[in-house]
Amino acid sequence: MSFRGNHILSIDQFNRNDIEQLFSVADKLEPFASKEKITRVLEGAILGNMFFEPSTRTRISFGASFNLLGGSVREITEVGSSSLAKGESLADTAQVLSGYSDIIVMRHPENDSVKKFSEASRVPVINGGDGSNEHPSQALLDLYTIRKELSQNDKTIDNLRIALVGDLKYGRAVHSLCKILSKYKDVKLNLISPDELKLPEDLIRQMNDSRVSINQTENLEKGISEVDIIYVTRVQEERFKNKKDANKYRGLLSLNQSIYTANCEPNTVIMHPLPRDSRSDANELDSDLYENPNLAIFRQADNGVVIRMAMFALVLGVEEKIEETSKPVNWKVGLNS
Ligand code: NCD
């Protein structure tokens, strides 16, 4: 795909070269994300950050990424604060907002809504999560994290062994991650979920066609032995018709240090797109894992900034110009010890 001037709606748009290109721009942007240097390459550009569903990481990291490239951010953070609440169509909203922005990131509770919105937009639109369908920027930052974590043990994404745990039916982060993994060779996937929250059949088919080896189980202990990565997810209670039904599944698949020690290989990395549900009846990743050096969840969240910077740089066609406005930073980062 060509990034420049295009919407990013689904992982289906990408091939391995596109992913490599994005990762190499992200590598170049690391000093800017970690604030060793400043760039103003997007000075004057405006991001419309349109979130019609709750978000912490995705919204703030998209906004921070745009700011780190020198651009400004305008936001909507709930349906109630926009004219969608007055009956305006997504197409009209897109027509109007794209007149005020150079690029739009959108999250919305309905599947395919971001695609519909993009069809009426005059500027590129990035899918920040559409219902239970997809979350492409999350899959890109997840794969970037997997690549980084594995490289410390001389492993590659080809030959990856990964366990996906939790709500695989409604989890859009998992759906996009499955699509991206199916682009690599000899991937072994353990799907661990209650029977009612299994990965949708169309995704299983897509991965079978790409020769991903799939094993489905409801047994956490069995599924997490002999894997390089455990990717845990939250029960997506907001997607259930009757929210109370979600209670049945909360807490069924909880990982703690003793389960990890008893079943996992020593370097197995633990990931989670976050937020993790830390209520006592769920506790899908116990706080006793804090001391575990293989708990990568906060490194994973940090990687969201550099990946989203790379997405903006490529879509707005400035990836070769980042150094032109590069300057050292003047302030001191971090706390006094
Ligand atoms: C995920 C999402 O919104 O799909 N969160 C995120 O963007 N990091 C996962 C979730 O909400 O469980």
Side-chain angles (χ1 to χ4, degrees):
M1 75 179 272
S2 153
F3 285 93
R4 193 173 187 154
N6 279 316
H7 306 306
I8 297 183
L9 303 172
S10 165
I11 289 296
D12 290 333
Q13 292 169 254
F14 293 79
N15 62 32
R16 275 180 75 150
N17 287 341
D18 305 323
I19 297 165
E20 279 314 310
Q21 187 191 5
L22 184 90
F23 286 179
S24 81
V25 174
D27 289 341
K28 266 200 328 208
L29 284 164
E30 289 273 7
F32 299 96
S34 59
K35 292 164 195 171
E36 284 153 45
K37 291 199 270 182
I38 298 172
T39 175
R40 308 296 303 161
V41 72
L42 288 185
E43 191 157 28
I46 294 178
L47 163 67
N49 215 15
M50 307 300 158
F51 278 72
F52 300 111
E53 217 187 28
S55 173
T56 305
R57 274 145 292 271
T58 307
R59 180 171 67 83
I60 301 296
S61 66
F62 265 121
S65 304
F66 209 73
N67 288 149
L68 285 166
L69 292 168
S72 311
V73 182
R74 286 283 169 271
E75 300 204 297
I76 289 175
T77 52
E78 48 176 321
V79 184
S81 70
S82 79
S83 285
L84 286 176
K86 300 180 187 171
E88 185 171 58
S89 70
L90 276 177
D92 279 7
T93 307
Q95 279 285 348
V96 173
L97 292 179
S98 58
Y100 305 154
S101 318
D102 299 285
I103 186 163
I104 291 173
V105 174
M106 184 177 168
R107 169 173 287 188
H108 192 279
E110 278 163 34
N111 292 23
D112 292 323
S113 51
V114 182
K115 182 164 184 285
K116 250 187 252 159
F117 181 93
S118 73
E119 284 159 1
S121 171
R122 292 172 277 162
V123 299
V125 176
I126 297 178
N127 183 358
D130 62 323
S132 63
N133 183 36
E134 276 222 48
H135 194 347
S137 67
Q138 181 70 43
L140 290 163
L141 80 88
D142 288 342
L143 195 71
Y144 188 70
T145 305
I146 291 171
R147 186 182 76 148
K148 261 192 171 173
E149 299 286 327
L150 291 186
S151 70
Q152 291 169 17
N153 294 309
D154 294 322
K155 294 181 190 169
T156 59
I157 307 173
D158 289 320
N159 298 310
L160 175 71
R161 302 165 303 157
I162 181 168
L164 305 182
V165 185
D167 183 350
L168 310 184
K169 179 178 180 186
Y170 294 118
R172 58 189 169 202
V174 161
H175 299 166
S176 287
L177 183 58
C178 285
K179 288 185 175 204
I180 213 165
L181 291 174
S182 68
K183 299 179 192 295
Y184 290 79
K185 279 192 225 129
D186 299 319
V187 173
K188 216 172 146 262
L189 189 61
N190 289 353
L191 300 174
I192 311 168
S193 70
D195 196 48
E196 298 85 343
L197 299 181
K198 279 205 309 221
L199 195 75
E201 272 305 316
D202 57 326
L203 272 168
I204 301 261
R205 234 174 290 123
Q206 191 175 342
M207 285 189 299
N208 277 333
D209 291 347
S210 313
R211 296 171 200 275
V212 175
S213 143
I214 299 173
N215 164 43
Q216 303 201 54
T217 175
E218 294 188 45
N219 183 318
L220 181 70
E221 282 85 349
K222 238 183 17 219
I224 59 173
S225 64
E226 299 179 17
V227 295
D228 306 299
I229 306 277
I230 305 172
Y231 189 98
V232 181
T233 63
R234 174 180 70 86
V235 176
Q236 309 279 298
E237 63 182 29
E238 66 275 35
R239 310 270 175 244
F240 284 70
K241 279 191 199 90
N242 182 352
K243 272 195 181 178
K244 281 205 184 118
D245 288 345
N247 295 341
K248 281 196 273 193
Y249 307 110
R250 214 179 278 120
L252 289 184
L253 298 166
S254 301
L255 182 63
N256 62 26
Q257 186 57 46
S258 67
I259 296 175
Y260 181 94
T261 310
N263 297 283
C264 294
E265 292 175 1
N267 291 320
T268 299
V269 174
I270 305 164
M271 295 175 59
H272 192 304
L274 302 178
R276 59 175 154 167
D277 189 342
S278 295
R279 287 171 288 191
S280 57
D281 58 342
N283 207 23
E284 59 221 15
L285 281 183
D286 199 286
S287 55
D288 69 0
L289 289 159
Y290 264 130
E291 303 296 315
N292 187 326
N294 295 308
L295 183 74
I297 56 176
F298 299 119
R299 297 194 285 277
Q300 179 185 359
D302 282 350
N303 288 334
V305 170
V306 82
I307 283 297
R308 291 175 171 128
M309 286 174 84
M311 293 173 82
F312 287 135
L314 282 160
V315 173
L316 294 172
V318 297
E319 72 278 13
E320 300 296 340
K321 298 191 182 137
I322 293 154
E323 283 294 341
E324 281 173 24
T325 57
S326 163
K327 284 197 297 189
V329 290
N330 294 323
W331 71 87
K332 187 170 177 288
V333 180
L335 291 170
N336 280 328
S337 51

Short mmCIF file of all heavy atoms in Angstrom, two decimals, residues 164 168-169 174-175 178-179 182 189-193 197-217:
data_model
loop_
_atom_site.label_atom_id
_atom_site.label_comp_id
_atom_site.label_asym_id
_atom_site.label_seq_id
_atom_site.Cartn_x
_atom_site.Cartn_y
_atom_site.Cartn_z
N LEU A 164 -3.22 -16.20 22.78
CA LEU A 164 -4.16 -15.09 22.94
C LEU A 164 -5.21 -15.53 23.96
O LEU A 164 -5.84 -16.57 23.78
CB LEU A 164 -4.83 -14.73 21.61
CG LEU A 164 -3.89 -14.42 20.44
CD1 LEU A 164 -4.71 -14.04 19.20
CD2 LEU A 164 -2.94 -13.28 20.79
N LEU A 168 -11.94 -13.31 22.90
CA LEU A 168 -11.44 -13.29 21.52
C LEU A 168 -12.58 -13.02 20.53
O LEU A 168 -12.34 -12.76 19.36
CB LEU A 168 -10.75 -14.63 21.20
CG LEU A 168 -9.71 -15.07 22.23
CD1 LEU A 168 -9.02 -16.35 21.78
CD2 LEU A 168 -8.67 -13.99 22.49
N LYS A 169 -13.83 -13.09 21.04
CA LYS A 169 -14.98 -12.83 20.18
C LYS A 169 -15.14 -11.34 19.90
O LYS A 169 -15.25 -10.92 18.75
CB LYS A 169 -16.25 -13.37 20.86
CG LYS A 169 -17.50 -13.14 20.07
CD LYS A 169 -18.72 -13.74 20.78
CE LYS A 169 -19.97 -13.49 19.95
NZ LYS A 169 -21.16 -13.93 20.69
N VAL A 174 -7.41 -7.99 19.38
CA VAL A 174 -7.06 -9.36 19.02
C VAL A 174 -7.35 -9.63 17.54
O VAL A 174 -6.57 -10.29 16.85
CB VAL A 174 -7.86 -10.34 19.92
CG1 VAL A 174 -7.91 -11.72 19.33
CG2 VAL A 174 -7.27 -10.38 21.31
N HIS A 175 -8.47 -9.10 17.06
CA HIS A 175 -8.83 -9.35 15.65
C HIS A 175 -7.77 -8.78 14.71
O HIS A 175 -7.33 -9.44 13.77
CB HIS A 175 -10.22 -8.76 15.33
CG HIS A 175 -11.31 -9.37 16.17
ND1 HIS A 175 -12.56 -8.83 16.27
CD2 HIS A 175 -11.32 -10.49 16.95
CE1 HIS A 175 -13.30 -9.59 17.07
NE2 HIS A 175 -12.56 -10.59 17.50
N CYS A 178 -4.51 -10.85 14.99
CA CYS A 178 -4.56 -12.11 14.23
C CYS A 178 -4.28 -11.84 12.75
O CYS A 178 -3.55 -12.57 12.10
CB CYS A 178 -5.92 -12.78 14.38
SG CYS A 178 -6.13 -13.55 15.97
N LYS A 179 -4.88 -10.77 12.23
CA LYS A 179 -4.68 -10.45 10.82
C LYS A 179 -3.22 -10.15 10.53
O LYS A 179 -2.67 -10.55 9.51
CB LYS A 179 -5.54 -9.25 10.41
CG LYS A 179 -7.01 -9.59 10.33
CD LYS A 179 -7.82 -8.43 9.81
CE LYS A 179 -9.28 -8.87 9.64
NZ LYS A 179 -9.98 -8.08 8.67
N SER A 182 -0.95 -13.26 10.60
CA SER A 182 -1.12 -14.20 9.48
C SER A 182 -0.24 -13.81 8.29
O SER A 182 -0.15 -14.55 7.32
CB SER A 182 -2.59 -14.30 9.08
OG SER A 182 -3.01 -13.09 8.52
N LEU A 189 -0.39 -20.47 17.02
CA LEU A 189 -1.30 -19.64 17.79
C LEU A 189 -2.14 -20.50 18.73
O LEU A 189 -2.83 -21.41 18.29
CB LEU A 189 -2.22 -18.95 16.77
CG LEU A 189 -3.16 -17.85 17.19
CD1 LEU A 189 -2.37 -16.68 17.76
CD2 LEU A 189 -3.94 -17.37 15.97
N ASN A 190 -2.06 -20.23 20.03
CA ASN A 190 -2.96 -20.88 20.98
C ASN A 190 -4.06 -19.90 21.34
O ASN A 190 -3.77 -18.81 21.85
CB ASN A 190 -2.21 -21.28 22.25
CG ASN A 190 -1.25 -22.43 22.02
OD1 ASN A 190 -1.22 -23.02 20.93
ND2 ASN A 190 -0.45 -22.74 23.02
N LEU A 191 -5.30 -20.27 21.08
CA LEU A 191 -6.43 -19.40 21.39
C LEU A 191 -7.09 -19.92 22.67
O LEU A 191 -7.62 -21.03 22.69
CB LEU A 191 -7.44 -19.42 20.23
CG LEU A 191 -6.90 -18.97 18.87
CD1 LEU A 191 -7.96 -19.17 17.78
CD2 LEU A 191 -6.49 -17.49 18.92
N ILE A 192 -7.03 -19.10 23.72
CA ILE A 192 -7.54 -19.55 25.02
C ILE A 192 -8.71 -18.66 25.42
O ILE A 192 -8.54 -17.47 25.72
CB ILE A 192 -6.44 -19.46 26.11
CG1 ILE A 192 -5.14 -20.12 25.61
CG2 ILE A 192 -6.92 -20.10 27.41
CD1 ILE A 192 -3.94 -19.83 26.48
N SER A 193 -9.91 -19.23 25.42
CA SER A 193 -11.10 -18.43 25.76
C SER A 193 -12.22 -19.37 26.19
O SER A 193 -12.20 -20.55 25.85
CB SER A 193 -11.56 -17.63 24.54
OG SER A 193 -12.09 -18.51 23.58
N LEU A 197 -16.80 -17.22 23.89
CA LEU A 197 -16.04 -16.02 23.50
C LEU A 197 -14.89 -16.37 22.55
O LEU A 197 -13.85 -15.73 22.53
CB LEU A 197 -15.50 -15.30 24.75
CG LEU A 197 -16.55 -14.81 25.75
CD1 LEU A 197 -15.90 -14.09 26.92
CD2 LEU A 197 -17.57 -13.89 25.07
N LYS A 198 -15.14 -17.42 21.75
CA LYS A 198 -14.12 -17.87 20.79
C LYS A 198 -13.91 -16.87 19.65
O LYS A 198 -14.81 -16.09 19.31
CB LYS A 198 -14.54 -19.21 20.17
CG LYS A 198 -14.24 -20.36 21.08
CD LYS A 198 -14.05 -21.70 20.42
CE LYS A 198 -15.08 -22.16 19.47
NZ LYS A 198 -15.42 -23.57 19.56
N LEU A 199 -12.74 -16.92 19.04
CA LEU A 199 -12.44 -16.06 17.89
C LEU A 199 -13.45 -16.32 16.77
O LEU A 199 -13.75 -17.49 16.48
CB LEU A 199 -11.02 -16.38 17.41
CG LEU A 199 -10.39 -15.37 16.46
CD1 LEU A 199 -9.97 -14.12 17.23
CD2 LEU A 199 -9.17 -15.96 15.77
N PRO A 200 -13.97 -15.26 16.10
CA PRO A 200 -14.94 -15.47 15.02
C PRO A 200 -14.39 -16.38 13.91
O PRO A 200 -13.20 -16.34 13.59
CB PRO A 200 -15.18 -14.05 14.49
CG PRO A 200 -14.80 -13.14 15.61
CD PRO A 200 -13.73 -13.85 16.38
N GLU A 201 -15.31 -17.16 13.34
CA GLU A 201 -14.94 -18.15 12.32
C GLU A 201 -14.23 -17.55 11.11
O GLU A 201 -13.34 -18.16 10.54
CB GLU A 201 -16.21 -18.89 11.84
CG GLU A 201 -16.57 -20.11 12.65
CD GLU A 201 -15.43 -21.13 12.77
OE1 GLU A 201 -14.77 -21.41 11.75
OE2 GLU A 201 -15.21 -21.63 13.89
N ASP A 202 -14.66 -16.35 10.67
CA ASP A 202 -14.04 -15.79 9.47
C ASP A 202 -12.56 -15.51 9.70
O ASP A 202 -11.73 -15.68 8.79
CB ASP A 202 -14.78 -14.53 8.98
CG ASP A 202 -14.86 -13.45 10.04
OD1 ASP A 202 -14.97 -13.79 11.23
OD2 ASP A 202 -14.79 -12.26 9.68
N LEU A 203 -12.20 -15.15 10.91
CA LEU A 203 -10.79 -14.92 11.21
C LEU A 203 -10.01 -16.23 11.28
O LEU A 203 -8.88 -16.32 10.82
CB LEU A 203 -10.65 -14.18 12.54
CG LEU A 203 -10.70 -12.66 12.45
CD1 LEU A 203 -10.85 -12.05 13.83
CD2 LEU A 203 -9.44 -12.13 11.78
N ILE A 204 -10.64 -17.25 11.83
CA ILE A 204 -10.00 -18.57 11.88
C ILE A 204 -9.72 -19.02 10.44
O ILE A 204 -8.63 -19.50 10.12
CB ILE A 204 -10.93 -19.62 12.56
CG1 ILE A 204 -11.25 -19.18 13.98
CG2 ILE A 204 -10.35 -21.02 12.47
CD1 ILE A 204 -10.46 -19.80 15.09
N ARG A 205 -10.72 -18.82 9.57
CA ARG A 205 -10.56 -19.22 8.16
C ARG A 205 -9.41 -18.46 7.50
O ARG A 205 -8.56 -19.04 6.85
CB ARG A 205 -11.88 -18.96 7.41
CG ARG A 205 -12.37 -20.21 6.70
CD ARG A 205 -13.74 -20.03 6.06
NE ARG A 205 -14.79 -19.92 7.05
CZ ARG A 205 -15.64 -18.89 7.16
NH1 ARG A 205 -15.57 -17.86 6.34
NH2 ARG A 205 -16.58 -18.88 8.10
N GLN A 206 -9.39 -17.14 7.73
CA GLN A 206 -8.35 -16.30 7.15
C GLN A 206 -6.95 -16.78 7.60
O GLN A 206 -6.01 -16.84 6.82
CB GLN A 206 -8.57 -14.84 7.57
CG GLN A 206 -7.71 -13.84 6.82
CD GLN A 206 -8.07 -12.37 7.19
OE1 GLN A 206 -9.12 -12.07 7.73
NE2 GLN A 206 -7.16 -11.47 6.90
N MET A 207 -6.84 -17.16 8.86
CA MET A 207 -5.54 -17.60 9.36
C MET A 207 -5.19 -19.00 8.88
O MET A 207 -4.03 -19.28 8.60
CB MET A 207 -5.50 -17.50 10.87
CG MET A 207 -5.37 -16.04 11.29
SD MET A 207 -5.07 -15.88 13.00
CE MET A 207 -6.53 -16.62 13.59
N ASN A 208 -6.20 -19.86 8.77
CA ASN A 208 -5.94 -21.19 8.19
C ASN A 208 -5.42 -21.05 6.77
O ASN A 208 -4.48 -21.74 6.38
CB ASN A 208 -7.22 -22.04 8.18
CG ASN A 208 -7.45 -22.71 9.53
OD1 ASN A 208 -6.50 -22.97 10.27
ND2 ASN A 208 -8.71 -22.97 9.85
N ASP A 209 -6.05 -20.15 6.00
CA ASP A 209 -5.61 -19.93 4.61
C ASP A 209 -4.17 -19.44 4.57
O ASP A 209 -3.46 -19.67 3.59
CB ASP A 209 -6.50 -18.89 3.91
CG ASP A 209 -7.91 -19.42 3.68
OD1 ASP A 209 -8.12 -20.65 3.82
OD2 ASP A 209 -8.81 -18.60 3.37
N SER A 210 -3.74 -18.74 5.61
CA SER A 210 -2.36 -18.22 5.64
C SER A 210 -1.42 -19.19 6.37
O SER A 210 -0.32 -18.81 6.76
CB SER A 210 -2.31 -16.87 6.35
OG SER A 210 -3.30 -16.03 5.89
N ARG A 211 -1.88 -20.38 6.63
CA ARG A 211 -1.08 -21.45 7.25
C ARG A 211 -0.62 -21.16 8.67
O ARG A 211 0.42 -21.63 9.10
CB ARG A 211 0.16 -21.77 6.39
CG ARG A 211 -0.20 -22.33 5.04
CD ARG A 211 1.02 -22.41 4.17
NE ARG A 211 0.64 -22.49 2.77
CZ ARG A 211 0.32 -23.59 2.14
NH1 ARG A 211 0.35 -24.73 2.77
NH2 ARG A 211 -0.02 -23.58 0.88
N VAL A 212 -1.39 -20.36 9.39
CA VAL A 212 -1.11 -20.21 10.82
C VAL A 212 -1.59 -21.49 11.49
O VAL A 212 -2.67 -21.98 11.17
CB VAL A 212 -1.87 -18.99 11.41
CG1 VAL A 212 -1.69 -18.91 12.92
CG2 VAL A 212 -1.42 -17.70 10.75
N SER A 213 -0.77 -22.04 12.38
CA SER A 213 -1.21 -23.26 13.05
C SER A 213 -1.98 -22.88 14.33
O SER A 213 -1.46 -22.17 15.19
CB SER A 213 0.04 -24.10 13.33
OG SER A 213 -0.06 -24.73 14.55
N ILE A 214 -3.24 -23.33 14.39
CA ILE A 214 -4.14 -22.87 15.46
C ILE A 214 -4.53 -24.00 16.39
O ILE A 214 -4.89 -25.09 15.95
CB ILE A 214 -5.42 -22.27 14.85
CG1 ILE A 214 -5.07 -21.07 13.97
CG2 ILE A 214 -6.39 -21.84 15.95
CD1 ILE A 214 -6.25 -20.51 13.20
N ASN A 215 -4.47 -23.71 17.69
CA ASN A 215 -4.92 -24.68 18.68
C ASN A 215 -5.87 -23.94 19.63
O ASN A 215 -5.51 -22.89 20.16
CB ASN A 215 -3.66 -25.20 19.40
CG ASN A 215 -3.98 -25.90 20.68
OD1 ASN A 215 -4.91 -26.69 20.75
ND2 ASN A 215 -3.22 -25.58 21.72
N GLN A 216 -7.10 -24.44 19.80
CA GLN A 216 -8.07 -23.74 20.66
C GLN A 216 -8.29 -24.52 21.94
O GLN A 216 -8.45 -25.74 21.91
CB GLN A 216 -9.42 -23.59 19.95
CG GLN A 216 -9.30 -22.85 18.63
CD GLN A 216 -10.64 -22.26 18.17
OE1 GLN A 216 -11.26 -21.52 18.92
NE2 GLN A 216 -11.05 -22.56 16.96
N THR A 217 -8.30 -23.82 23.07
CA THR A 217 -8.51 -24.48 24.35
C THR A 217 -9.19 -23.53 25.34
O THR A 217 -9.16 -22.32 25.15
CB THR A 217 -7.16 -24.98 24.95
OG1 THR A 217 -7.39 -25.52 26.24
CG2 THR A 217 -6.14 -23.87 25.07
#
